[in-house]
């Protein structure tokens, strides 16, 4: 399990870890690096405006591709070299961010990132991570969500699925069980951020709404 995790999480990440990659090594890296630079400007108005423009660009390219009579792939959208794989939207807390396809320290300073799981909107548990930003942005307002609240996930094929929150709880930074599916036959969404001044992680669990209505 943890070797699979390493293959995904450390893909393209230079962390200088060598030797045997066991559970202790992985979880220590996460605990040490998940919450960094909370006071820098990655949540500034300038960055928020940039991310809003990226969201608009993604929707525009999706719509342009749909209107084309030819079978064409959506042009790749990037932010500072990171590929955008979709859009996360939560109306209740006025959240709408592009999702970056890989989790690194630098990527997390830019936007929400995919941490674990299948392609967006596929069967399984997609886990997204984001900072609890000091400016009240990124995942700072996840704590305001309640069971029954709706989350929308749009992939690059312009498929938007709605997920309903069914659980929220706090875990230790070394606990990775939240990436596992509650029901492996359903589409699940897990949102993960820091809480209690980086001492713990807040986990928000959501499940695809039946018939998506």
């Amino acid at each position: 399990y943890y070797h699979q995790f390493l293959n995904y999480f450390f893909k393209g990440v230079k962390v200088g870890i060598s030797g045997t990659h066991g559970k202790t090594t992985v979880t220590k890296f996460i605990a040490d690096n998940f919450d960094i630079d909370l006071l820098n400007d990655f949540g500034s108005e300038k960055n928020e405006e940039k991310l809003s423009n990226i969201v608009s660009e993604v929707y525009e390219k999706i719509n342009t591709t749909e209107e084309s009579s030819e079978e064409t792939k959506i042009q790749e959208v990037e932010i500072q070299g990171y590929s955008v794989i979709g859009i996360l939207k939560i109306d209740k807390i006025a959240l709408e961010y592009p999702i970056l396809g890989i989790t690194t320290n630098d990527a997390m300073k830019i936007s929400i990132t995919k941490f674990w799981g299948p392609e967006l909107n596929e069967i399984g548990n997609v886990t997204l991570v984001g900072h609890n930003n000091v400016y009240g942005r990124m995942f700072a307002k996840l704590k305001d969500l309640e069971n029954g609240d709706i989350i929308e996930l749009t992939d690059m094929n312009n498929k938007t699925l709605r997920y309903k929150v069914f659980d929220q709880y706090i875990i230790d930074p070394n606990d990775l069980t939240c990436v596992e599916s509650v029901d492996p036959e359903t589409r699940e969404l897990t949102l993960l951020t820091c809480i209690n001044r980086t001492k713990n992680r807040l986990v928000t669990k959501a499940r695809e709404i039946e018939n998506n209505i």
Side-chain angles (χ1 to χ4, degrees):
Y1 175 87
Y2 282 93
H3 282 88
Q4 292 176 344
F5 170 79
L6 280 163
N7 289 336
Y8 181 85
F9 185 72
F10 293 118
K11 182 181 179 182
V13 184
K14 297 179 181 179
V15 294
I17 294 178
S18 59
T20 302
H21 301 305
K23 178 177 179 180
T24 301
T25 303
V26 177
T27 52
K28 184 179 186 304
F29 178 82
I30 298 169
D32 290 346
N33 292 277
F34 190 88
D35 307 295
I36 57 172
D37 297 333
L38 291 180
L39 296 179
N40 70 14
D41 67 350
F42 70 83
S44 66
E45 288 288 349
K46 183 177 180 181
N47 189 62
E48 290 290 300
E49 181 180 355
K50 182 187 301 182
L51 295 179
S52 179
N53 291 337
I54 290 294
V55 168
S56 298
E57 181 183 351
V58 170
Y59 285 136
E60 181 180 353
K61 288 189 175 182
I62 287 174
N63 292 331
T64 300
T65 302
E66 278 194 332
E67 292 169 2
S68 173
S69 59
E70 301 177 0
E71 291 187 3
T72 56
K73 290 186 178 180
I74 298 171
Q75 289 181 303
E76 188 170 284
V77 179
E78 291 189 349
I79 310 176
Q80 298 180 33
Y82 293 97
S83 295
V84 175
I85 61 172
I87 304 294
L88 178 71
K89 183 178 182 181
I90 311 175
D91 284 336
K92 180 176 180 178
I93 56 175
L95 181 152
E96 189 170 29
Y97 284 111
I99 303 165
L100 306 186
I102 188 171
T103 294
T104 68
N105 292 336
D106 287 338
M108 288 184 66
K109 295 178 187 178
I110 301 169
S111 191
I112 306 306
T113 67
K114 180 186 173 186
F115 179 67
W116 186 269
E119 299 297 320
L120 300 188
N121 292 327
E122 296 297 329
I123 297 294
N125 179 27
V126 174
T127 303
L128 307 179
V129 297
H131 280 295
N132 184 347
N133 186 261
V134 68
Y135 295 92
R137 297 166 182 141
M138 296 292 184
F139 275 176
K141 296 181 181 178
L142 286 186
K143 63 183 183 296
D144 297 329
L145 295 180
E146 300 173 314
N147 286 357
D149 287 336
I150 303 301
I151 301 172
E152 293 185 359
L153 194 61
T154 301
D155 58 40
M156 296 302 283
N157 294 314
N158 200 24
K159 180 169 69 174
T160 299
L161 295 184
R162 301 168 75 235
Y163 297 77
K164 182 183 291 186
V165 175
F166 68 88
D167 199 7
Q168 193 172 65
Y169 54 92
I170 295 174
I171 60 174
D172 182 89
N174 298 329
D175 186 352
L176 296 178
T177 57
C178 64
V179 305
E180 299 172 358
S181 297
V182 175
D183 181 349
E185 301 302 318
T186 63
R187 292 178 175 86
E188 295 178 12
L189 178 63
T190 299
L191 307 181
L192 184 62
T193 192
C194 58
I195 198 170
N196 296 334
R197 301 188 65 85
T198 78
K199 294 179 181 178
N200 299 101
R201 303 291 178 261
L202 176 67
V203 178
T204 302
K205 286 279 190 177
R207 184 179 292 117
E208 180 192 11
I209 299 174
E210 189 174 354
N211 298 323
N212 212 39
I213 59 174

